[in-house]
């Protein structure tokens, strides 16, 4: 037991409650007590269990122990589930304050690779393409070329359908195995432009095509490509997204140019566990479609979601997915995360607002979280329960947060700073928004993100002249600061 943590010795997760720790100790003590267990190693193990319990059962000793080693750790599910979890907290405990305070948790959900890998599922993909008049010319030519390249990367057994929409929707390619597409694929090159942008019609038809071809075990994914700002049908489209999430469909959105509604598409895709990307170049669009195949085609667990039950006097203020796709997640219950792929887990950053803690409360339950999903080989739902629990400390918490949380908050700060400046401009506070934009540019330069900093300074100049932030600049800065959250190994060079 020399290399085991106290949590591992007792067989509990690092976020175990006092009751769970006490129960685990008594169970272990009954089995290992020298008067009962004659095994030569029993006495040594019994002493180790006693020492672990002595530390973890004391609020102060446990806080000191957590502060001296990485905060959090891997949860230990009692039964094998298709996912594992790692949980980090921003501090060993929560200070007893007379005012509200922010507290952070980083949850990583990873595939349990000790389980046998199932045969990869076939993909059922529907491309929903905006064919409105604003897409005419170079934009539509780029889409056609990249869609053709995308089809060549699919497997013969994958299913593909294509829907085009303006102010009405039309099925260009019905759901067909890639091996049988033949001349049907040529219909994409014949797409012409007409009508205005009404996303609801495209989504409705696209989801219907997916539903027709969907069978047990396939991965259903809708990719929306648009350059337009839909009007009047947003609530209907969001209702469709919620229905899609219930059926296990993930929606990814690709915004071309600067006219599309980023807040709407972020919410639309986020409701299903998908994400929205901004592209302005041919290469960006090609990379987006290629990445879709990688993330869709290597699914370990489908329809992953988290049911959240917050503790008393706890508010969830913000939830952001850091990996593999970067996006804010809608604060709806349950939170849909889409699919979990083999290559990487999903990292979620929670921001909690903790109300003042009254005297006599020595432990805070931030919340109970039920993670559920379907393995790729069957349709049986698997679940794992995770509790976010921290001790309450009467003295100020001075231990440094884990580097992973510090780094995430540092990078996320720039994205949220821009979001704050946007809200200030909407509210008419131009002076404060300008200061925040200048502050943002300074920090981007310090990080070597010179092109992005120049884009911010250009918009500062517009604002100071009484102009609004340009639509192109707005999306470049929003999605550029969001991209800073990508791991260093895959960041694009902006300097």
């Amino acid at each position: 037991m020399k290399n085991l943590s106290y949590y591992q010795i007792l067989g509990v997760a690092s976020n175990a409650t006092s009751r769970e720790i006490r129960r685990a100790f008594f169970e272990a003590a009954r089995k290992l007590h020298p008067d009962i267990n004659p095994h030569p190693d029993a006495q040594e193990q019994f002493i180790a269990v006693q020492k672990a319990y002595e530390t973890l059962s004391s609020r102060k000793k446990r806080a000191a122990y957590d502060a001296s080693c990485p905060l959090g750790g891997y949860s230990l599910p009692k039964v094998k589930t298709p996912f594992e979890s790692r949980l980090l907290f921003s501090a060993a405990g929560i200070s007893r304050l007379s005012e509200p305070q922010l507290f952070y948790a980083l949850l990583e959900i990873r595939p349990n690779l000790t389980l046998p890998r199932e045969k990869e599922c076939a993909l059922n993909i529907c491309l929903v393409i905006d064919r409105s008049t604003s897409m005419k010319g170079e934009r539509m030519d780029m889409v056609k070329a990249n869609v053709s390249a995308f089809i060549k990367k699919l497997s013969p057994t994958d299913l593909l359908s294509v829907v085009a929409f303006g102010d009405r929707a039309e099925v260009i390619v019905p759901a067909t195995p890639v091996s049988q597409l033949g001349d049907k694929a040529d219909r994409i090159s014949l797409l012409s432009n007409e009508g205005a942008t009404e996303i609801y019609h495209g989504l409705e038809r696209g989801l219907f095509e997916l539903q027709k071809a969907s069978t047990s075990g396939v991965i259903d994914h809708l990719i929306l490509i648009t350059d337009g700002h839909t009007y009047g049908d947003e609530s209907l489209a969001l209702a469709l997204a919620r229905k899609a999430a219930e059926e296990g469909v993930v929606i990814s959105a690709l915004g071309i140019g600067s006219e599309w509604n980023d807040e709407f598409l972020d919410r639309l895709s986020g409701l299903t566990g998908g994400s929205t990307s901004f592209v302005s170049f041919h290469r960006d669009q090609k990379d987006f479609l290629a990445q879709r195949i990688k993330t869709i085609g290597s699914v370990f667990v489908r329809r992953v979601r988290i049911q959240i039950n917050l503790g008393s006097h706890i508010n969830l203020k913000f939830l952001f997915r850091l990996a593999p796709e970067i996006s804010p997640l809608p604060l709806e219950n349950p939170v849909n995360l889409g699919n979990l792929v083999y290559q990487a887990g999903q990292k979620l950053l929670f921001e909690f607002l903790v109300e003042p803690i009254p005297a006599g409360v020595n432990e805070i339950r931030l919340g109970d979280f039920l993670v559920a999903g379907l393995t790729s080989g069957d349709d049986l739902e698997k679940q794992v329960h995770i509790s976010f629990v921290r001790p309450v400390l009467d003295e100020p918490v001075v231990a440094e947060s884990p580097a992973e949380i510090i780094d995430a908050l540092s990078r996320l700060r720039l994205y949220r700073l821009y979001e704050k400046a946007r809200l200030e401009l909407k509210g008419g506070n131009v002076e404060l928004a300008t200061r925040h934009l200048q502050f943002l540019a300074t920090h981007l330069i310090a990080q070597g993100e010179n092109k992005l900093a120049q884009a911010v300074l250009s918009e500062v100049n517009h604002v100071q002249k009484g102009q609004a932030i340009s639509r192109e600049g707005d999306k470049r800065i929003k999605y550029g600061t969001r991209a800073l959250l990508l791991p260093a190994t895959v960041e694009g060079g902006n300097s």
Side-chain angles (χ1 to χ4, degrees), residues 250-306:
V250 175
I251 298 176
S252 296
L254 175 64
I256 301 174
S258 60
E259 299 299 315
W260 50 281
N261 185 338
D262 54 289
E263 293 179 2
F264 166 66
L265 287 191
D266 272 345
R267 185 161 185 78
L268 181 80
S269 59
L271 286 169
T272 68
S275 63
T276 295
S277 297
F278 161 61
V279 301
S280 56
F281 300 106
H282 178 81
R283 172 181 52 80
D284 296 335
Q285 191 180 123
K286 184 177 180 180
D287 291 346
F288 169 85
L289 290 171
Q291 185 63 26
R292 292 310 94 186
I293 293 180
K294 288 183 181 179
T295 56
I296 302 170
S298 188
V299 171
F300 190 88
V301 189
R302 297 176 288 125
R303 303 191 188 187
V304 180
R305 70 183 190 280
I306 298 182

Side-chain angles (χ1 to χ4, degrees), residues 197-200 203 229-242 261 263-265 267-268 271:
T197 300
E198 294 189 22
I199 289 177
Y200 170 76
L203 280 181
H229 199 304
T230 193
Y231 291 97
D233 60 356
E234 290 91 345
S235 60
L236 292 173
L238 293 174
L240 275 180
R242 291 186 179 92
N261 185 338
E263 293 179 2
F264 166 66
L265 287 191
R267 185 161 185 78
L268 181 80
L271 286 169

Side-chain angles (χ1 to χ4, degrees), residues 190-245:
L190 300 177
L191 273 177
S192 59
N193 299 90
E194 59 181 50
T197 300
E198 294 189 22
I199 289 177
Y200 170 76
H201 293 307
L203 280 181
E204 183 183 42
R205 191 62 189 174
L207 290 171
F208 181 70
E209 286 300 308
L210 282 177
Q211 188 180 46
K212 284 199 307 183
S214 183
T215 59
S216 177
V218 303
I219 307 301
D220 299 320
H221 201 107
L222 186 148
I223 300 177
L224 171 65
I225 303 174
T226 182
D227 75 338
H229 199 304
T230 193
Y231 291 97
D233 60 356
E234 290 91 345
S235 60
L236 292 173
L238 293 174
L240 275 180
R242 291 186 179 92
K243 182 180 178 182

